[in-house]
Amino acid sequence: MMQAEPKIGLALGGGAFRGLAHIGVLQVFDEAKLPVRLVSGCSMGALIGGLYCSGMDMRLLERYVYTLDERSLADVILPRQGLLAGARIEGILRTLTGNKSFAQMKIPFSALAVDIERGELLSLSEGPIWQAIRASISIPGVFRPLRLGGRLLVDGGVLCRVPTDAVRAMGADFIISVDVSYHGGFVPCDGLSSIIMQAFAVMEWALIKEKVVTSDVNIAPDLLHINMASILQAEDCIEIGRQAARAALPAIEEGLAKKRAQ
């Protein structure tokens, strides 16, 4: 009797602009014809994963990223709930997702966010895709939180660095995680945004570094030299993602073969 093909799920972690490495990872997976069936993303992982699941070509997204600068994304407000209002990124997300809902996704997807008032981690999988992504990327102190359904939502990375549990709950039985955040070492911080982002990254690392990775294959690109608060190193970041994904393909194939034989 033939064994059912393992249902591959991707867990794409947060890491601000270091998360652009997810673009390179997904490009390699597409080239390898890896049959990704489910995706969950947190923060930048939610942004890239959401666009991927909505049908956007990752080569096209790479070219689009190179046209951006930080000024095109920033809409500074008087700090009340965050430095940036987020209206500009909302407009970009509406356009890039085609204003699709979760029901229209090519690949089932969820985005993690935190209800900051209740201290609850939420897996968002209903309504407009752009709203879920906007909630998941709302780094406290940088982006104004998103008020949605009576909840005040911020970056899922506050409680979850890489959403392996979320994609498992969606039904994945072979999980590939991509962790693009901090893994220790010296990181220069020269601005308010970089200090806020690095503070969260250090806290996340302190919480998870002693834990065993619960995915079948974990990809952790070496991104320490990438400024997580700047888009200027996007090309380098995406290429590092490609290299890390290519290096992981043998382990993925081996893991899938073992899963099929079970």
Side-chain angles (χ1 to χ4, degrees):
M1 183 176 177
M2 289 186 62
Q3 295 284 65
E5 187 66 18
K7 188 178 288 187
I8 299 173
L10 300 185
L12 305 180
F17 282 115
R18 288 177 183 160
L20 294 174
H22 291 311
I23 296 174
V25 170
L26 291 167
Q27 288 173 352
V28 169
F29 286 174
D30 280 347
E31 291 166 4
K33 302 190 185 309
L34 194 69
V36 174
R37 300 280 300 280
L38 302 160
V39 178
S40 184
C42 180
S43 197
M44 185 62 87
L47 195 159
I48 305 301
L51 296 180
Y52 180 73
C53 292
S54 68
M56 187 165 194
D57 181 88
M58 291 294 101
R59 293 287 177 184
L60 179 62
L61 180 58
E62 179 182 3
R63 292 197 294 271
Y64 177 74
V65 165
Y66 297 154
T67 71
L68 297 173
D69 61 42
E70 285 141 45
R71 290 172 297 178
S72 68
L73 304 175
D75 44 5
V76 179
I77 56 174
L78 289 174
R80 184 169 179 269
Q81 292 184 316
L83 294 174
L84 305 178
R88 290 188 180 178
I89 191 67
E90 287 175 12
I92 291 171
L93 291 174
R94 285 176 187 265
T95 299
L96 294 181
T97 62
N99 210 20
K100 292 178 181 176
S101 69
F102 277 89
Q104 296 170 294
M105 298 292 259
K106 291 192 171 185
I107 300 172
F109 170 70
S110 69
L112 297 196
V114 170
D115 180 334
I116 195 64
E117 295 174 322
R118 296 174 176 85
E120 295 176 4
L121 181 67
L122 304 175
S123 181
L124 306 177
S125 58
E126 295 180 347
I129 302 163
W130 73 264
Q131 279 188 340
I133 295 173
R134 168 66 174 84
S136 189
I137 66 172
S138 298
I139 300 169
V142 177
F143 277 107
R144 183 168 61 189
L146 182 69
R147 178 69 71 175
L148 187 63
R151 293 178 179 271
L152 191 65
L153 303 180
V154 301
D155 193 321
V158 170
L159 290 178
C160 179
R161 175 169 162 139
V162 183
T164 51
D165 289 342
V167 78
R168 182 177 291 108
M170 292 168 69
D173 49 32
F174 186 87
I175 298 174
I176 304 167
S177 58
V178 186
D179 185 355
V180 295
S181 196
Y182 180 70
H183 297 95
F186 174 76
V187 176
C189 298
D190 58 0
L192 178 58
S193 293
S194 64
I195 290 171
I196 292 172
M197 292 177 186
Q198 179 63 7
F200 280 107
V202 169
M203 286 189 290
E204 289 169 5
W205 179 236
L207 288 171
I208 73 148
K209 65 182 178 180
E210 302 300 331
K211 294 183 179 180
V212 176
V213 174
T214 59
S215 56
D216 293 280
V217 175
N218 183 54
I219 300 174
D222 183 5
L223 299 165
L224 188 63
H225 67 290
I226 301 292
N227 182 351
M228 69 172 68
S230 173
I231 202 170
L232 295 179
Q233 293 170 286
E235 186 172 0
D236 191 16
C237 190
I238 293 170
E239 176 56 27
I240 291 170
R242 280 194 286 261
Q243 293 174 7
R246 290 190 188 109
L249 286 177
I252 292 170
E253 288 302 323
E254 182 180 354
L256 287 171
K258 288 180 179 178
K259 186 71 72 170
R260 295 184 190 105
Q262 290 177 357

